[in-house]
Amino acid sequence: TLYTTRDLAHHEWKFENYDRAVTVLGEDHKLQADQLGQTLELLGNDTDQLENVIFSWVNLPGGLGMSTRKGTGVDLDDLLDEAIDRAREEVEDRLDDRIRDDDLDEADIERIAHQVGIGAVRYDIVSKQATKAITFEWDQALDFEAQSAPYVQYVHARCCGILEEAGFDPAEPLSAAGQDESLDLDAIDADRLETPAEQDLLETIARFPAVVDEAASDLEPHQIATYTREFGDRFNTFYRECPVLADDVDPEVRETRLALVAASKHTIANALSVLGVAAPRSM
């Protein structure tokens, strides 16, 4: 059988079981997608629920396209292995500059290397619009200071670090029993967040559900990646301008900012999860 023959049966199964059928193809399969749609209609199917997402080419640095026939393809396992190796080197190079005092052992470094390396590949590709050609560049994908997966993952790790320093377990709700500190969430008043940096971050958190809805409706996951980069910028501005645990911070403001940090951690973890990227507790 031909690819399209099998696709006919596959899509009729989709129509029977789902109210929306999405087919993801490369740009060299546009004709096949048109033929498939026309044939499904001739067979009496309602193709209004069929949507095609056509992705442009993924290129290697220097403009070299990936092609199995030309021998320029890249095996995914090899790509991920190299990503992990590069991430491990980056993590080890940055060990001396870390602010947190949670000493990382070899197992921690290996875990972070897998989370960052695989996350960098996934994030770098999903962050591009489907209609735009992708050139995968290692330096950009693994840049901790730029708009990349490590940049966003570091926001989550930074949130965890603040919560740990305050005596909370980042994996538990602030009000959970067994925390070293206690926080009365019912007493938290968001009106105490008066600075532009705090309000911008709060507004960005509040937009997350709408961003997910729009990305799903438009079949454009890159919108969520764009959101995470904006989130990272706004959280880092908040981190620079709004001390959370400093001695001169009013206790009520401290608690409110801690709640904002916890909300930030949950939001960025959920956003990364949607993209299939891990949210490291430490980096």
Side-chain angles (χ1 to χ4, degrees), residues 15-171:
F15 295 152
E16 291 174 0
N17 290 277
Y18 300 96
D19 57 8
R20 193 178 189 190
V22 180
T23 302
V24 180
L25 297 167
E27 63 179 9
D28 55 333
H29 290 276
K30 287 181 179 179
L31 177 60
Q32 177 189 341
D34 291 339
Q35 292 171 335
L36 177 64
Q38 294 290 335
T39 307
L40 285 167
E41 282 194 12
L42 289 172
L43 291 173
N45 294 282
D46 179 8
T47 57
D48 289 343
Q49 58 184 320
L50 175 61
E51 298 173 78
N52 295 316
V53 178
I54 306 296
F55 270 84
S56 295
W57 294 106
V58 177
N59 296 312
L60 301 173
L64 183 64
M66 294 191 191
S67 171
T68 51
R69 284 180 303 215
K70 296 179 181 178
T72 57
V74 177
D75 186 82
L76 180 60
D77 288 336
D78 293 339
L79 180 69
L80 295 179
D81 286 344
E82 183 169 353
I84 293 168
D85 289 341
R86 287 173 178 258
R88 186 185 300 106
E89 292 176 4
E90 185 69 28
V91 171
E92 291 173 343
D93 288 344
R94 297 168 65 90
L95 284 177
D96 293 337
D97 298 327
R98 297 180 78 249
I99 298 175
R100 292 172 66 176
D101 58 2
D102 57 333
D103 293 333
L104 301 179
D105 58 24
E106 286 299 320
D108 293 325
I109 293 173
E110 194 63 26
R111 170 183 52 78
I112 295 170
H114 276 77
Q115 292 174 321
V116 172
I118 295 174
V121 174
R122 293 182 66 95
Y123 188 95
D124 193 71
I125 293 176
V126 79
S127 65
K128 309 294 195 305
Q129 285 183 267
T131 55
K132 295 184 178 180
I134 298 171
T135 299
F136 185 81
E137 299 276 3
W138 283 115
D139 292 341
Q140 293 180 9
L142 288 173
D143 192 340
F144 278 64
E145 309 300 332
Q147 295 180 334
S148 60
Y151 175 78
V152 177
Q153 288 172 311
Y154 194 72
V155 170
H156 182 268
R158 176 165 277 169
C159 290
C160 292
I162 294 172
L163 293 171
E164 287 176 347
E165 188 177 349
F168 294 94
D169 182 352

